[in-house]
Amino acid sequence: MQARNFSILTYGCQMNKYDSEQIAGILSKQSYSKTDDLSEADLILLNTCTVREKADHKVLSKLGRLRELKEKNPNLIIGVCGCIPQVQGEAFLDRSRVVDFVFGTQNIHQLSEMISEVKKGKRVARIEKEPSEALDFSGDALLRESGYQAWVSIMTGCDNFCTYCIVPYTRGRERSREPDEIINEIKILAGKGYVEVTLLGQNVNSYGSDLSSPVHFPDLLERINEISGIERIRFVTSHPKDLSDGLIEVMKDAKKVCEYLHLPLQSGADKVLGRMNRGYTRELYLEKVEKLKSAVPGISLTTDVIVGFPGESEEDFNETEKVMREVGFHFSFIFKYSPRPGTSAMSFTDTVAEAAIAERFNRLDALQKEMTLRHNEALVGKSVEVLVEGKSKTNPEMLMGRTRTNKIIIFPGSENSKGALLKVEITQAGLYSLYGRALTTKESNHAG
Ligand code: 5AD
Ligand code: SF4
């Protein structure tokens, strides 16, 4: 078969990154090779996100830029998949003439068929609304980006219907994978030399309740903690309302579970949380944070916050700012509210003026930067465990790795320590990364 190249541009969340690894796996079994150079590709896929309007715009402007490549190479095939086609349907084909085919989040397994049809000169749309049973979750089907860290999907979909959020419409209802299947996949990964796994789901804290023999998320974590070879366990995303005492216990006791938790707050005002349909109050959130901090010393907490949700008054916003300060997040993803067609918040008419949204965003952003820097500076002089990911992108003569608390550390060293867990002394703190020097090498680790 003729050698061909593919590129995938992935937008949005980890779930999309995981799907892209799945797509890459399918294509590499079809004599396609992966390239990051778009001008060399015979097939370009855009795996899209639609969580905010900005994400839609990014994809449309990228498609505009791909037109030139298509003019140079008329055989180039361009496909759009993921969350935009899932909500916009085949109408998306009309939005851009450069697009040859579109498919939804449940149609990945039909990729080869779609490509064959496109080659016959058709424009193709496959958007299945019902969850697909045909997806191969065995893990073997994936072409993973890294040889040391793996994303492992433990569930898909979301049942929460936060009023601003499109995800329940793009990913469908919650469906958990059988625990034995997950354990097997992770054992295979450990056998291949993977040391870190990140369990993926829109709401991992409610994992397992839909299974015929229900399982709790903390029990799954305990089982993964027993797998030899795996050294670090992370998971995203946790919903505060479903974060149980059992989970906090496991985070305390299971050695491999990292001292890190992403716990989306969204707002610190009860009125806004109610209208968002979040299912918790400010007080409950803070209570869980206190428990986490006392059970897991040194835990790094990060969050998502939306500013300018309809009806958010200045007082409501001040509450959010207060909660953020009180928790002292290590990092926050701050978003300006973006109305999404199809979500119930679209019907709220008490919108916040853009200038107020911008001002609130800037205030939170400044607060978070101050808190992040303070946390990072507190690490100077300390020694931390770093999983080496490879060369630093911003500093290619240095190595880059992450701490258990998910902080990026840049330090001198040789590339053959990729995948090793090293002790690194922190010498300098920046906002987005810290700098250090290795105290151990891959070899000294093995000897010890
Ligand atoms: N507008 C702004 N932010 C949003 N998010 C989800 N939907 C919207 C929206 N319509 C944010 C939430 C969520 C994160 C992934 O994206 O904070 O946790
Ligand atoms: Fe969206 Fe809420 Fe589900 Fe998260 S929990 S994916 S914010 S609906």
Side-chain angles (χ1 to χ4, degrees):
M1 238 185 283
Q2 188 197 346
R4 293 160 301 177
N5 293 320
F6 73 92
S7 285
I8 307 177
L9 303 173
T10 308
Y11 301 83
C13 68
Q14 270 76 23
M15 203 53 89
N16 268 13
K17 290 184 189 149
Y18 182 84
D19 285 350
S20 289
E21 291 186 342
Q22 189 132 18
I23 292 169
I26 295 173
L27 291 171
S28 28
K29 289 205 177 91
Q30 311 271 320
S31 81
Y32 272 99
S33 312
K34 191 165 171 256
T35 174
D36 291 330
D37 182 350
L38 294 183
S39 64
E40 278 184 1
D42 308 286
L43 169 66
I44 299 176
L45 287 174
L46 278 70
N47 190 0
T48 63
C49 169
T50 188
V51 79
R52 286 168 292 276
E53 201 181 358
K54 232 181 178 172
D56 280 12
H57 290 164
K58 264 193 203 162
V59 168
L60 287 174
S61 76
K62 188 73 198 180
L63 284 170
R65 276 176 276 138
L66 291 181
R67 175 167 300 132
E68 217 175 287
L69 282 182
K70 186 117 176 168
E71 278 160 9
K72 277 195 208 136
N73 173 12
N75 292 327
L76 171 65
I77 297 176
I78 296 180
V80 174
C81 61
C83 294
I84 295 183
Q86 192 66 35
V87 291
Q88 295 191 7
E90 67 173 286
F92 191 80
L93 277 178
D94 301 330
R95 299 188 66 181
S96 172
R97 290 303 305 171
V98 298
V99 178
D100 297 297
F101 70 116
V102 296
F103 59 104
T105 55
Q106 309 300 317
N107 300 81
I108 293 173
H109 60 288
Q110 296 164 338
L111 182 56
S112 311
E113 265 166 71
M114 291 185 270
I115 295 173
S116 311
E117 287 190 37
V118 170
K119 284 189 173 158
K120 288 180 200 147
K122 293 187 190 147
R123 292 183 89 211
V124 182
R126 296 267 175 96
I127 291 127
E128 177 59 59
K129 293 286 178 199
E130 293 304 313
S132 164
E133 298 300 333
L135 289 182
D136 181 354
F137 272 130
S138 66
D140 276 353
L142 269 68
L143 184 67
R144 290 190 149 98
E145 288 279 327
S146 156
Y148 313 102
Q149 304 158 289
W151 306 107
V152 176
S153 169
I154 63 164
M155 63 193 298
T156 58
C158 181
D159 290 347
N160 287 312
F161 291 95
C162 300
T163 53
Y164 52 80
C165 187
I166 195 74
V167 168
Y169 308 94
T170 61
R171 296 279 169 181
R173 298 292 70 73
E174 280 179 16
R175 278 186 307 151
S176 301
R177 277 176 79 191
E178 287 295 337
D180 288 349
E181 227 185 271
I182 298 169
I183 299 293
N184 274 343
E185 179 177 345
I186 298 177
K187 280 185 178 159
I188 293 171
L189 287 168
K192 288 182 181 162
Y194 283 83
V195 283
E196 181 178 299
V197 287
T198 303
L199 310 178
L200 282 187
Q202 247 80 39
N203 179 13
V204 292
N205 296 344
S206 71
Y207 167 78
S209 47
D210 57 317
L211 293 170
S212 48
S213 335
V215 179
H216 293 300
F217 183 54
D219 300 334
L220 179 71
L221 284 176
E222 273 181 340
R223 284 184 66 186
I224 299 171
N225 193 56
E226 298 301 314
I227 299 177
S228 70
I230 297 298
E231 302 294 343
R232 289 177 169 192
I233 305 166
R234 303 184 189 281
F235 48 89
V236 280
T237 298
S238 288
H239 195 304
K241 81 174 161 58
D242 298 313
L243 184 120
S244 63
D245 287 351
L247 176 61
I248 298 174
E249 275 300 299
V250 173
M251 290 190 75
K252 175 173 162 232
D253 296 332
K255 291 253 170 325
K256 296 174 181 178
V257 176
C258 290
E259 299 76 27
Y260 166 77
L261 188 70
H262 183 66
L263 195 62
L265 168 68
Q266 313 300 3
S267 169
D270 288 348
K271 186 189 90 196
V272 180
L273 287 170
R275 290 186 92 198
M276 287 177 163
N277 190 31
R278 289 291 288 170
Y280 54 88
T281 58
R282 165 188 169 281
E283 196 186 338
L284 196 81
Y285 186 95
L286 287 172
E287 215 176 84
K288 296 203 179 187
V289 163
E290 270 326 297
K291 284 185 184 169
L292 281 161
K293 283 183 177 173
S294 59
V296 188
I299 190 169
S300 160
L301 293 167
T302 61
T303 201
D304 293 342
V305 179
I306 297 176
V307 293
F309 188 73
E312 182 190 69
S313 66
E314 199 57 31
E315 292 73 48
D316 296 330
F317 173 75
N318 289 340
E319 286 291 303
T320 301
E321 196 175 16
K322 242 169 61 196
V323 174
M324 283 188 60
R325 212 182 276 282
E326 198 169 329
V327 177
F329 292 109
H330 283 237
F331 189 79
S332 298
F333 296 90
I334 303 160
F335 304 107
K336 294 177 183 171
Y337 171 65
S338 167
R340 305 313 289 136
T343 61
S344 60
M346 275 301 278
S347 64
F348 298 161
T349 50
D350 46 355
T351 53
V352 179
E354 268 199 37
I357 298 182
E359 195 259 337
R360 291 174 195 176
F361 178 92
N362 290 339
R363 260 165 70 190
L364 285 196
D365 185 52
L367 168 64
Q368 186 54 61
K369 285 189 170 123
E370 183 195 313
M371 295 194 298
T372 302
L373 197 58
R374 193 155 28 84
H375 282 300
N376 289 352
E377 281 169 348
L379 283 173
V380 175
K382 300 236 158 65
S383 84
V384 290
E385 180 201 270
V386 171
L387 172 60
V388 184
E389 293 188 11
K391 276 189 189 170
S392 155
K393 286 204 180 89
T394 49
N395 233 328
E397 68 284 7
M398 307 273 254
L399 293 180
M400 182 284 238
R402 274 174 213 268
T403 62
R404 286 172 62 94
T405 53
N406 212 22
K407 293 190 184 278
I408 294 175
I409 313 290
I410 294 174
F411 60 102
S414 112
E415 233 199 314
N416 68 15
S417 45
K418 215 165 142 178
L421 290 162
L422 303 184
K423 275 242 152 344
V424 175
E425 184 191 16
I426 305 295
T427 51
Q428 198 191 326
L431 193 54
Y432 300 113
S433 45
L434 297 102
Y435 300 85
R437 62 183 184 95
L439 301 175
T440 54
T441 61
K442 191 173 188 175
E443 292 69 30
S444 65
N445 269 1
H446 280 301

